[in-house]
Amino acid sequence: MIIRGTHRVIVQGITGKQGTFWSERMMAYGTKIVGGVNPKKAGTEHIGVPVFASAVDAMKGLPEGFDVSILFIPPMGAKAAALDAIEAGAKAVVILTEHIPVQDVMYVMAAANERGVRIIGPNTAGGVTPGECFTGFMPAFNDKIFRPGNVGVISRSGSLGTLMCLNVVQAGFGISAFIGIGGDPIIGTTTRDALEALDAFDKTDAVVMVGEIGGAMEEHAAEYAATMNKPMAAFIAGGAAPAGKKMGHAGAIVMGNKGTYQSKADALAAAGVAILDTPMDVGPVLKERMG
Amino acid sequence: MNFEEHAGKPLLKAAGIPVPDGGTAITAETAADIAGKLIGASGGKVVVKAQVPTGKRGKAGGIKLAGSADEAREVAAAILGMTIAEHVVGKVLVERATPFTREFYAAVINDPETKGPKILFSTLGGMDVEEAAEQDAGAMRTLSVDIRKGPEKGAVRAMLDGAGLDGLEDQVVEVLMKLYEAYRANDAELMEINPLAVLEAGGLMALDCKFTMDDSALPRHEDLAMTGTPDRLTGLEAKGKELDLKYIELDGDVGVLANGAGLTMTTMDVVRHHGGTPANFLEIGGEAYTKGTDALRLVLENPKVKSLVINFCGAFARTDVMTQGILNAWDELKPTLPTFWSVHGTGDVEAVAMLKERLGVEPLPDMSAACKAAVDAAKGGAK
């Protein structure tokens, strides 16, 4: 799902240093943050919003509840916090945390799936809907990067996604939504899920996907891309990476022939997606494809 | 983190899966002692197995039978010190050899497709199970598990229907349930038994174990982690690890310093796109973004590096903080190699001002230009 300026958002871990810093920025940009969670500071107010003991309490205590929770929670506490948000009835939970044990993530996914809750992340820098709101730690204010427009961008990596948006904007376009899906091997919103969301988003006329070596998400996304009418371009990072080495993101590892650059590029090209040799090539390709 | 057979088997045993009696040795003499005790107790033979974190040990000659303590000493002496897939054997496992009639394959893995655990079973166990599975996809039985509830016995039993187990179904179900327990208790990414042997004397026994722990779970398994096999690192990679920086040494001559895994990989790709070869992977994103000083030191310590591209695109990581870190190291190290910057995103205005003031340098307009300049410089061309 694409998080909009109309969504009511809470921040779990709002009173921490990063939680405070980024919540203030999100609010200033337009994200409708209506509350926060910290069990030790329940009943107080922090940066102008009420703090609750749990997401469940926040859902009950806030006059109109909330739609989305963003987690600024350390790895070993993330499972409990996410389960709390799911239990509360959140529509979506954005998990920014890196290094959550994978079995904890799978536990959260199973619970979310049962309740129909959308998980975004873990290990994502968040997302930006330019001109409306952002979630996580994104440089949304920088209008050289997140100028509003009609190109949707998907990326596992926050820094690389930011770079792609910069290149799109430098080419004279703007961004309708940036969805950071996260770098972990198991994530709630896959490349394909994000692609479907942008395909359904009326502000988006074209999609740029930033993939990475490892896993099979780009191949799955290609199946959906083949059915899309909106033009699409893709850059896949890691073509120069040696096999078998983890390149920072736990998800970015090539085992044998699986998850290789070539397998992804071939699948996407066969689906009619323009493959970019470098992120800088996005401008000319968009100009050509969007007429 | 990978665990060798001798470190994985005790976890199976703890879950109630039978494994052979035995012990580990780092000298041929100790191997002979263990073999003597095992053979003295009940006759038969022992098997001496190289302990290295790789498959195909048998084919490489790293697994040998011995009928006496003297013979065990001989084969252990031959195996210790041999190289298998770039790993030098420093340890052997000496176990009672157990006659068997069939070999199965059993494993539990984290499955990104279903976002949950998956149990795998095949009657085609033994050395080439991966190849066997590729040839006959139907040979591998699978079962997805709801991690909140664990596997149901009935479902595990149903997964084995028609597998040709000849009355061994209940025993196999028992082992798979226990294997799942071991997987769950130890935060495994992979908990594998290959082969799971059907013994001549009856019953099933795990004759090998492959266990990979999820690195993110290491903090809650500190004691167990001590028995794992650390990644083999070069000197600089080890130093990077100490500094809590992800550094991977590569073969090229263009040093790469960027923030975020995706951006760092892309910087390497673009270096290659312009005909150069990256000398390293090094990212200082996430919480490591304050470590610019350490990072620059690390890149410069690689003697192969002829030029450097520094590529920052700030989201969470502030480019001004990262640039400040690099500049602090710059004052101290006074590097002379040609360096090319590309700086965008959070904090870029401050970062660019700092670069002008302290180094008299302007970043290039984009990362492609910076990578190209670094490639040209490494080749000895014009800056």
Side-chain angles (χ1 to χ4, degrees):
Chain A
M1 77 181 269
I2 291 159
I3 297 172
R4 308 294 301 267
T6 48
H7 283 119
R8 298 167 59 79
V9 176
I10 65 162
V11 174
Q12 289 175 264
I14 196 169
T15 57
K17 192 177 159 211
Q18 293 294 345
T20 302
F21 178 79
W22 287 99
S23 295
E24 282 180 324
R25 293 182 76 98
M26 283 189 269
M27 286 168 163
Y29 188 73
T31 310
K32 196 188 270 182
I33 294 179
V34 293
V37 173
N38 176 345
K40 288 179 198 143
K41 295 187 179 162
T44 66
E45 205 180 88
H46 184 71
I47 55 172
V49 295
V51 178
F52 297 90
S54 66
V56 168
D57 281 3
M59 188 61 91
K60 285 182 200 146
L62 289 163
E64 292 171 72
F66 68 88
D67 305 304
V68 176
S69 180
I70 304 172
L71 266 60
F72 281 88
I73 300 285
M76 293 303 170
K79 175 184 168 186
L83 291 175
D84 175 26
I86 292 165
E87 172 70 27
K91 292 193 184 84
V93 183
V94 182
I95 308 178
L96 307 170
T97 317
E98 186 180 3
H99 300 306
I100 305 175
V102 179
Q103 292 194 4
D104 288 4
V105 174
M106 295 191 306
Y107 198 101
V108 169
M109 293 304 167
N113 193 37
E114 191 173 84
R115 299 283 295 262
V117 178
R118 163 66 60 200
I119 303 287
I120 302 170
N123 190 13
T124 172
V128 186
T129 310
E132 294 189 21
C133 65
F134 79 97
T135 56
F137 16 78
M138 294 298 302
F141 283 100
N142 192 326
D143 71 356
K144 284 186 290 181
I145 300 173
F146 290 106
R147 182 187 302 155
N150 60 353
V151 179
V153 177
I154 303 166
S155 172
R156 284 195 204 175
S157 154
S159 57
L160 183 50
T162 301
L163 178 84
M164 186 56 84
C165 292
L166 172 78
N167 281 286
V168 169
V169 169
Q170 276 178 346
F173 298 93
I175 309 297
S176 62
F178 167 75
I179 306 179
I181 59 171
D184 273 12
I186 293 183
I187 51 178
T189 299
T190 62
T191 312
R192 183 186 167 132
D193 297 333
L195 196 53
E196 290 186 25
L198 289 173
D199 194 22
F201 187 34
D202 56 5
K203 287 189 172 181
T204 300
D205 294 327
V207 178
V208 179
M209 186 190 116
V210 184
E212 279 180 22
I213 53 164
M217 283 203 305
E218 289 76 9
E219 286 86 337
H220 292 321
E223 289 169 21
Y224 184 78
T227 70
M228 270 170 57
N229 291 323
K230 294 181 183 178
M232 185 173 162
F235 172 74
I236 297 146
K245 291 259 189 190
K246 239 178 235 184
M247 287 287 159
H249 281 165
I253 184 166
V254 180
M255 296 305 296
N257 292 322
K258 290 174 195 152
T260 59
Y261 176 88
Q262 209 52 51
S263 143
K264 292 170 190 303
D266 289 350
L268 288 162
V273 176
I275 304 297
L276 307 173
D277 285 340
T278 76
M280 279 56 67
D281 298 329
V282 73
V285 168
L286 283 178
K287 279 175 189 155
E288 185 199 313
R289 296 232 164 181
M290 294 178 77
Chain B
M1 176 179 253
N2 289 313
F3 288 70
E4 288 161 8
E5 180 188 8
H6 67 90
K9 274 180 169 168
L11 307 176
L12 298 180
K13 196 176 175 185
I17 299 172
V19 297
D21 293 331
T24 55
I26 55 168
T27 65
E29 210 41 58
T30 317
D33 283 349
I34 298 168
K37 279 176 198 143
L38 290 170
I39 294 171
S42 58
K45 292 187 171 184
V46 293
V47 58
V48 180
K49 306 172 85 174
Q51 296 300 291
V52 281
T54 173
K56 318 274 186 240
R57 289 173 299 166
K59 275 187 187 161
I63 300 179
K64 292 262 192 276
L65 283 168
S68 66
D70 285 343
E71 209 184 325
R73 182 182 298 111
E74 238 171 73
V75 298
I79 292 172
L80 286 165
M82 75 189 288
T83 303
I84 303 176
E86 294 176 27
H87 299 277
V88 177
V89 181
K91 189 182 276 177
V92 291
L93 176 63
V94 184
E95 289 185 334
R96 175 170 291 131
T98 318
F100 55 85
T101 56
R102 296 180 76 181
E103 293 175 281
F104 298 152
Y105 173 91
V108 186
I109 60 167
N110 293 341
D111 177 26
E113 305 288 328
T114 59
K115 303 176 187 178
K118 188 181 248 180
I119 300 177
L120 307 175
F121 178 81
S122 170
T123 52
L124 300 175
M127 280 197 279
D128 292 315
V129 68
E130 285 92 352
E131 287 161 36
E134 265 171 36
Q135 282 167 21
D136 179 6
M140 189 61 81
R141 308 271 169 148
T142 66
L143 177 70
S144 294
V145 177
D146 183 336
I147 195 167
R148 294 169 303 162
K149 297 170 189 141
E152 286 166 22
K153 265 193 177 176
V156 178
R157 176 68 182 74
M159 153 195 185
L160 304 172
D161 276 347
L165 292 179
D166 302 333
L168 293 165
E169 288 82 355
D170 289 345
Q171 290 186 53
V172 172
V173 169
E174 214 46 52
V175 167
L176 292 178
M177 296 296 289
K178 287 170 178 167
L179 183 62
Y180 181 86
E181 240 176 75
Y183 153 88
R184 196 75 174 94
N186 298 295
D187 268 303
E189 273 176 11
L190 167 73
M191 187 65 89
E192 178 188 83
I193 304 174
N194 186 27
L196 174 65
V198 180
L199 303 184
E200 270 178 14
L204 300 174
M205 185 175 268
L207 297 192
D208 197 357
C209 175
K210 196 171 166 192
F211 164 45
T212 308
M213 193 196 279
D214 167 18
D215 288 340
S216 294
L218 287 171
R220 60 186 182 201
H221 299 280
E222 278 179 3
D223 290 347
L224 184 55
M226 305 285 283
T227 69
T229 311
D231 291 337
R232 281 187 321 147
L233 303 174
T234 66
L236 284 176
E237 287 172 347
K239 206 171 223 177
K241 197 172 179 179
E242 261 172 47
L243 298 167
D244 214 8
L245 287 168
K246 281 170 199 148
Y247 178 89
I248 300 173
E249 204 171 322
L250 303 168
D251 295 333
D253 52 15
V254 177
V256 171
L257 208 172
N259 68 288
L263 187 65
T264 308
M265 274 199 287
T266 303
T267 311
M268 289 162 53
D269 294 340
V270 175
V271 164
R272 186 144 289 179
H273 176 80
H274 289 298
T277 48
N280 64 274
F281 171 97
L282 172 60
E283 64 129 330
I284 59 170
E287 274 143 31
Y289 81 89
T290 53
K291 295 188 179 170
T293 305
D294 288 339
L296 183 66
R297 264 201 201 109
L298 210 51
V299 171
L300 296 179
E301 261 188 63
N302 178 350
K304 286 180 291 191
V305 172
K306 290 189 190 145
S307 68
L308 174 61
V309 52
I310 298 178
N311 185 17
F312 293 151
C313 196
F316 170 73
R318 299 189 54 90
T319 56
D320 52 338
V321 175
M322 294 188 283
T323 301
Q324 172 97 51
I326 304 281
L327 290 176
N328 289 347
W330 209 275
D331 292 344
E332 187 188 322
L333 303 170
K334 300 188 170 56
T336 52
L337 88 170
T339 301
F340 305 91
W341 296 73
S342 168
V343 180
H344 297 281
T346 313
D348 57 357
V349 174
E350 295 88 338
V352 170
M354 227 185 303
L355 275 177
K356 275 185 199 157
E357 190 196 313
R358 288 177 58 180
L359 291 186
V361 168
E362 284 255 16
L364 287 134
D366 63 39
M367 71 177 280
S368 187
C371 290
K372 181 165 193 313
V375 169
D376 290 346
K379 286 182 176 160
K383 275 186 195 177

